[in-house]
Amino acid sequence: MKINDFNFAGKKAIVRVDFNVPLDENGKITDDTRIRGALPTLKKILADGGALIIMSHMGKPKGKVNPKLSLGQITDAVSAALGVPVQFAPDCANAKAQADALKPGEVLLLENLRFYPEEEGKPVGVEKGTPEFDEAKKAMKASQKEFAKTLASYADCYVMDAFGTAHRKHASTAVIDEFFDKDSKMLGLLMEKEVAAVDAVLGNIKRPFVAIMGGSKVSSKIGIIENLLGKVDKLILCGGMTYTFAKAHDGEIGDSIVELDKLDVALGVEELAKKNGVELVLGSDCTATNGLDFGTMTVKEGAQIINCPSNKVPAGFEGVDAGPDSQKAFAEAIAGAKTILWNGPAGVFECDDFTAGSRAIGEAIAKATAEGAFSLIGGGDSVACVNKFGLADKVSYISTGGGALLEAIEGKVLPGVAAINE
């Protein structure tokens, strides 16, 4: 069922959103992007004359109540965004009476789903690999289904609009659907856009296709990199993984981040790129320092900042950004692209001294987009980059899902999407 073909008049709709928003020490939202992303779906339901039950997680409470992760803190912000009063249910598993009392146009926000271990469906306090774990897992699966059934009992229809959690088989994302027939469960408007954006990149490729993968570790992205090497024309690898590739060729990397147990993986990536005829672009030089304070994201007084080859970083120095030559090479590789995917920064962009590499990538993507390319930006750090550099309105699409986007790119089926489609 398509959400725009469904009339919510007189219906109660339970909607899984991703309101896992960042909060400051006073519980105030510092970035409301995820709330704004859900508004078209939520407002469609209210405009139709439906009643709205919103459910989400926040943080990682690991099945325990944590007041610092209570969704009660954002009730006023959600109310302001929707333009209607929002009621709050302090216990998501015991909100039946409040849900039943809802009238058309009214809104109820449930407490953090992950206060219950049944949401994630992971046994608590039992060691993996033991017979006890197997039994606990079986029992938890049954409990998870009951938890999902309880949530489903609050509403007449279910809307999945949390792309950020679509890769998880949780009670609220991929189990609850069992309790709704195919005509009363659907993807939300944000989810439809996310799925279409991924399809535009991977299913409807316009060439040249350039992917930029950054971040610190090769290991966390090897599946994605290998999948992309079967699809892209050019692959830019940047960020901390630069030094694992440099070390694989016996380079000197000083104190730069490196995965010594993944040197063979790096060489394998290079071989696969060559085999597939993919142009692999690695940073030839870097900006390095001997005094970055990661706590404050500032350079310590008296510390040095230098530019050097990526494979000749002096002892005591750490590569923290792409150098001028690398920036130029990245921009040249992106120029003329028709499909662009960016996940992961080129350096420690959180420190204002080391934004140049990521900025060069962002500006090159914006230029290519203006010339007709489709550009998809995904992953929290990449999104933070385009926002920091004022480029958010100069790219085609910014994904709200980090892990979900990466798994979709890797070619995996997302449980939260599959559950609706089935």
Side-chain angles (χ1 to χ4, degrees):
M1 171 63 68
K2 293 283 188 183
I3 188 169
N4 277 330
D5 295 331
F6 192 89
N7 188 349
F8 291 93
K11 304 280 188 182
K12 287 189 176 76
I14 188 163
V15 185
R16 178 51 158 108
V17 297
D18 183 5
F19 282 178
N20 183 25
V21 293
L23 305 175
D24 64 18
E25 62 275 9
N26 299 313
K28 298 297 182 184
I29 298 170
T30 58
D31 183 350
D32 68 348
T33 301
R34 287 175 172 168
I35 291 176
R36 286 186 284 108
L39 290 180
T41 290
L42 304 181
K43 287 185 174 182
K44 146 79 175 163
I45 293 166
L46 295 176
D48 278 1
L52 180 58
I53 301 155
I54 304 171
M55 56 178 175
S56 179
H57 75 283
M58 180 180 282
K60 297 179 179 180
K62 297 182 178 178
K64 296 179 181 178
V65 174
N66 181 346
K68 290 182 178 179
L69 297 175
S70 172
L71 288 175
Q73 300 170 92
I74 69 169
T75 304
D76 289 345
V78 176
S79 177
L82 278 174
V84 296
V86 174
Q87 303 171 42
F88 181 64
D91 184 347
C92 62
N94 290 285
K96 177 70 171 164
Q98 284 176 275
D100 286 349
L102 282 181
K103 296 173 183 174
E106 293 185 337
V107 184
L108 177 66
L109 174 64
L110 304 183
E111 180 57 286
N112 193 336
L113 295 164
R114 290 188 186 174
F115 283 178
Y116 281 83
E118 289 83 358
E119 164 63 3
E120 295 182 270
K122 297 176 182 175
V124 178
V126 189
E127 190 177 341
K128 271 187 177 182
T130 63
E132 290 81 10
F133 180 82
D134 293 337
E135 285 299 314
K137 190 175 180 182
K138 192 183 297 182
M140 177 55 79
K141 191 172 182 181
S143 296
Q144 185 185 46
K145 193 164 185 174
E146 281 302 310
F147 182 64
K149 185 178 181 181
T150 296
L151 296 173
S153 72
Y154 301 160
D156 306 303
C157 50
Y158 166 66
V159 182
M160 172 56 176
D161 209 28
F163 186 70
T165 60
H167 59 312
R168 306 296 189 194
K169 193 166 185 179
H170 291 172
S172 66
T173 62
V175 182
I176 189 173
D177 70 286
E178 296 177 25
F179 302 99
F180 295 94
D181 62 41
K182 62 182 177 63
D183 292 325
S184 58
K185 59 181 179 180
M186 63 214 79
L187 297 178
L189 296 170
L190 178 62
M191 280 288 292
E192 287 185 349
K193 284 169 65 179
E194 295 276 7
V195 171
V198 172
D199 185 60
V201 168
L202 299 182
N204 185 27
I205 300 169
K206 293 179 181 176
R207 299 189 182 279
F209 178 11
V210 179
I212 306 103
M213 301 300 292
S216 59
K217 295 181 178 180
V218 180
S219 57
S220 63
K221 296 189 176 177
I222 185 59
I224 301 146
I225 290 170
E226 289 176 344
N227 188 54
L228 285 172
L229 284 173
K231 299 178 183 294
V232 300
D233 300 293
K234 299 178 185 179
L235 177 61
I236 297 170
L237 296 180
C238 56
M241 67 176 84
T242 299
Y243 310 101
T244 296
F245 280 85
K247 189 67 176 177
H249 292 281
D250 299 318
E252 298 167 7
I253 60 169
D255 293 343
S256 304
I257 188 170
V258 64
E259 291 181 285
L260 293 174
D261 61 337
K262 294 293 182 289
L263 303 184
D264 58 332
V265 173
L267 294 174
V269 166
E270 293 181 357
E271 282 299 313
L272 185 58
K274 191 181 296 183
K275 179 183 174 183
N276 290 357
V278 174
E279 182 183 338
L280 187 62
V281 184
L282 289 160
S284 60
D285 68 339
C286 69
T287 299
T289 183
N290 59 356
L292 175 59
D293 184 332
F294 279 92
T296 61
M297 283 299 173
T298 58
V299 178
K300 297 172 185 175
E301 189 175 348
Q304 294 174 270
I305 299 175
I306 63 171
N307 288 318
C308 60
S310 300
N311 60 357
K312 291 183 180 178
V313 181
F317 281 76
E318 177 180 13
V320 289
D321 194 13
D325 290 344
S326 298
Q327 294 167 32
K328 184 180 178 183
F330 296 164
E332 288 176 349
I334 293 166
K338 292 303 178 188
T339 303
I340 305 170
L341 169 68
W342 183 22
N343 176 268
V348 188
F349 75 97
E350 297 91 341
C351 176
D352 290 341
D353 290 292
F354 309 123
T355 60
S358 300
R359 184 186 293 275
I361 290 172
E363 289 178 347
I365 292 173
K367 186 172 186 293
T369 305
E371 294 170 355
F374 178 87
S375 53
L376 171 59
I377 315 297
D381 285 342
S382 302
V383 174
C385 278
V386 295
N387 286 331
K388 182 171 184 172
F389 306 145
L391 300 171
D393 61 346
K394 294 177 179 167
V395 298
S396 303
Y397 192 77
I398 295 176
S399 175
T400 58
L405 177 65
L406 294 183
E407 292 203 9
I409 294 166
E410 198 172 339
K412 294 181 179 178
V413 174
L414 303 181
V417 176
I420 298 296
N421 291 339
E422 288 170 0

PDB file of all heavy atoms in Angstrom, residues 22 70 113 365 415:
ATOM      1  N   PRO A  22      20.126  14.507  18.579  1.00  0.00           N
ATOM      2  CA  PRO A  22      21.143  14.873  19.567  1.00  0.00           C
ATOM      3  C   PRO A  22      20.619  15.913  20.552  1.00  0.00           C
ATOM      4  O   PRO A  22      19.916  16.854  20.161  1.00  0.00           O
ATOM      5  CB  PRO A  22      22.271  15.439  18.699  1.00  0.00           C
ATOM      6  CG  PRO A  22      21.605  15.930  17.458  1.00  0.00           C
ATOM      7  CD  PRO A  22      20.440  15.008  17.228  1.00  0.00           C
ATOM      8  N   SER A  70      14.990   9.879  27.704  1.00  0.00           N
ATOM      9  CA  SER A  70      13.522   9.882  27.615  1.00  0.00           C
ATOM     10  C   SER A  70      13.052  10.772  26.472  1.00  0.00           C
ATOM     11  O   SER A  70      13.529  11.896  26.291  1.00  0.00           O
ATOM     12  CB  SER A  70      12.916  10.388  28.920  1.00  0.00           C
ATOM     13  OG  SER A  70      11.521  10.568  28.777  1.00  0.00           O
ATOM     14  N   LEU A 113      11.296   3.303  22.981  1.00  0.00           N
ATOM     15  CA  LEU A 113      11.052   1.872  22.783  1.00  0.00           C
ATOM     16  C   LEU A 113      12.164   1.013  23.377  1.00  0.00           C
ATOM     17  O   LEU A 113      11.921  -0.099  23.855  1.00  0.00           O
ATOM     18  CB  LEU A 113      10.924   1.568  21.287  1.00  0.00           C
ATOM     19  CG  LEU A 113       9.737   2.192  20.555  1.00  0.00           C
ATOM     20  CD1 LEU A 113       9.973   2.130  19.042  1.00  0.00           C
ATOM     21  CD2 LEU A 113       8.442   1.484  20.915  1.00  0.00           C
ATOM     22  N   ILE A 365      31.263  18.054  -5.282  1.00  0.00           N
ATOM     23  CA  ILE A 365      29.969  17.387  -5.454  1.00  0.00           C
ATOM     24  C   ILE A 365      28.890  18.407  -5.788  1.00  0.00           C
ATOM     25  O   ILE A 365      28.049  18.195  -6.676  1.00  0.00           O
ATOM     26  CB  ILE A 365      29.596  16.591  -4.189  1.00  0.00           C
ATOM     27  CG1 ILE A 365      30.548  15.406  -4.014  1.00  0.00           C
ATOM     28  CG2 ILE A 365      28.151  16.097  -4.266  1.00  0.00           C
ATOM     29  CD1 ILE A 365      30.368  14.661  -2.689  1.00  0.00           C
ATOM     30  N   PRO A 415      15.407  -5.222   6.618  1.00  0.00           N
ATOM     31  CA  PRO A 415      14.217  -5.829   7.219  1.00  0.00           C
ATOM     32  C   PRO A 415      13.018  -4.896   7.304  1.00  0.00           C
ATOM     33  O   PRO A 415      11.887  -5.292   7.085  1.00  0.00           O
ATOM     34  CB  PRO A 415      14.699  -6.236   8.611  1.00  0.00           C
ATOM     35  CG  PRO A 415      16.167  -6.454   8.452  1.00  0.00           C
ATOM     36  CD  PRO A 415      16.595  -5.422   7.459  1.00  0.00           C
TER      37      PRO A 415
END
